Amino acid sequence: MDKEEGVSSFECVRRVRKILGVKKVGHAGTLDPFATGLLVLLLGQGTKLSPFLMAGRKRYLATLRLGCETDTLDLTGKIVRERPVESLCLEEVRKKASAFVGDVEQVPPSYSAVKHKGVRAYKMARRGVPLELKKRKVTIHRLEIHSLDLPEMTLSVDCSCGTYVRSLAADLGEALGAGAHLRSLRRLSSGPFTLDGAVRVGDLGPDAADAALRERIIPLTDALPDLSECVVDEETARRIRDGYQPGIEDLVGGIGAVDGTVKLIKGKELVALGDVTESSVGMKKRVRILRVFH
């Protein structure tokens, strides 16, 4: 889906559940209501793919407002500090931004879903409870400054799972000596998925919505295109779905040089995701089942 501004991720899930008549619908990574862009929705057995899809790299297009900080680190919050924005040149900004590329430590926003002592941080922040959230290591793979039209700045960022672009905006604003908050955010890609072919629920007419969504449903076997595939026969597939842990000899054609997470498939069906590791006995490879799909 291409989520619209002002609509929550949960509302997108609710609408799609209603249109398709599917009871079990989830998503692979929340977008704040003010944010727009790619929201990968998961239907039925597809919800089991959530942790694997969420672990993928994300790409965003963001606009920052320099000289103004808010309690939520975005445009929805209350202004907590304002500072003059000194004259900045694009080259200077790009040099400061380069320090944020790589593995960095980041403090999640107080208004976030991160848990603090078992409670969601945003719930405590709304009650005015002071929070000291722990820093987390994230990876900024690429950070490009596209334009500087003071007091606003536009950039794109490729980052790891768990990165808060709001925190990145605040940290970059601080490095520039002016402070900042996030004015807009658009997710361009998530893992293997991009906005190409994505649809906005609000653009769908009542008579065409069901068909328009169904033609965009991605088969489970295609949802993780970067994973290697291993074929199993019908009997092995049945046994795996009954709890069986297969051996290498159960895989049609063997395992070859494959390591890590693999897809076990039968025909066009995704039977399971498994982890190929070296056995401690004889250093032979084995398959440990991670998720089973019915």
Side-chain angles (χ1 to χ4, degrees):
M1 303 298 303
D2 184 351
K3 192 187 84 62
E4 303 154 68
E5 184 177 357
V7 179
S8 70
S9 298
F10 176 77
E11 176 62 16
C12 288
V13 168
R14 190 194 67 79
R15 290 182 187 181
V16 169
R17 183 187 293 126
K18 182 177 180 181
I19 291 170
L20 295 179
V22 178
K23 290 183 178 180
K24 200 171 186 180
V25 181
H27 61 72
T30 302
L31 277 176
D32 292 326
F34 79 89
T36 66
L38 186 68
L39 184 70
V40 180
L41 296 187
L42 312 173
L43 313 177
Q45 290 287 299
T47 55
K48 295 180 180 180
L49 291 173
S50 180
F52 302 94
L53 293 174
M54 289 181 66
R57 185 184 297 194
K58 313 290 191 297
R59 187 172 190 224
Y60 298 92
L61 181 67
T63 299
L64 281 59
R65 173 72 181 271
L66 295 167
C68 181
E69 300 169 60
T70 68
D71 57 357
T72 60
L73 309 187
D74 60 43
L75 75 166
T76 67
K78 296 178 181 178
I79 296 175
V80 294
R81 188 182 184 189
E82 291 186 274
R83 287 186 261 178
V85 181
E86 303 295 338
S87 178
L88 293 169
C89 68
L90 194 55
E91 201 59 38
E92 180 185 359
V93 171
R94 284 174 173 161
K95 184 177 180 180
K96 292 281 188 181
S98 67
F100 291 89
V101 177
D103 293 334
V104 297
E105 289 191 326
Q106 183 182 79
V107 178
S110 296
Y111 287 84
S112 68
V114 173
K115 286 190 175 182
H116 180 72
K117 297 181 179 180
V119 181
R120 298 290 184 188
Y122 68 84
K123 292 184 177 181
M124 300 178 72
R126 287 172 182 168
R127 296 200 302 264
V129 179
L131 294 176
E132 288 187 11
L133 298 178
K134 294 182 179 180
K135 289 183 177 181
R136 308 194 314 185
K137 184 175 287 187
V138 299
T139 303
I140 306 298
H141 299 282
R142 180 171 167 271
L143 179 58
E144 182 177 354
I145 309 298
H146 294 293
S147 65
L148 183 63
D149 185 13
L150 295 176
E152 294 193 343
M153 173 172 61
T154 301
L155 57 84
S156 61
V157 56
D158 291 10
C159 54
S160 65
C161 172
T163 302
Y164 280 94
V165 183
R166 283 183 287 155
S167 294
L168 175 63
D171 292 342
L172 180 55
E174 190 62 36
L176 293 170
H181 70 269
L182 202 57
R183 288 288 294 168
S184 68
L185 182 67
R186 183 164 177 78
R187 185 151 64 199
L188 305 177
S189 67
S190 178
F193 303 107
T194 69
L195 280 168
D196 293 340
V199 62
R200 297 194 304 172
V201 175
D203 290 343
L204 300 176
D207 299 327
D210 184 274
L213 290 180
R214 289 189 185 279
E215 71 181 14
R216 287 174 170 81
I217 293 177
I218 300 163
L220 295 184
T221 49
D222 298 338
L224 294 166
D226 295 334
L227 296 186
S228 299
E229 294 183 353
C230 296
V231 177
V232 296
D233 59 28
E234 188 168 349
E235 175 61 17
T236 302
R238 183 192 64 77
R239 295 178 67 193
I240 290 172
R241 284 166 171 159
D242 286 340
Y244 175 64
Q245 293 286 329
I248 298 300
E249 65 277 6
D250 294 308
L251 307 181
V252 178
I255 199 70
V258 174
D259 282 303
T261 305
V262 298
K263 294 181 284 190
L264 303 184
I265 62 170
K266 176 182 73 71
K268 295 184 178 180
E269 295 178 16
L270 178 62
V271 176
L273 293 179
D275 189 39
V276 178
T277 60
E278 297 283 354
S279 171
S280 58
V281 180
M283 298 303 290
K284 293 182 178 180
K285 289 184 177 180
R286 63 185 181 89
V287 182
R288 180 172 62 90
I289 297 299
L290 303 173
R291 287 285 191 283
V292 176
F293 300 86
H294 295 278

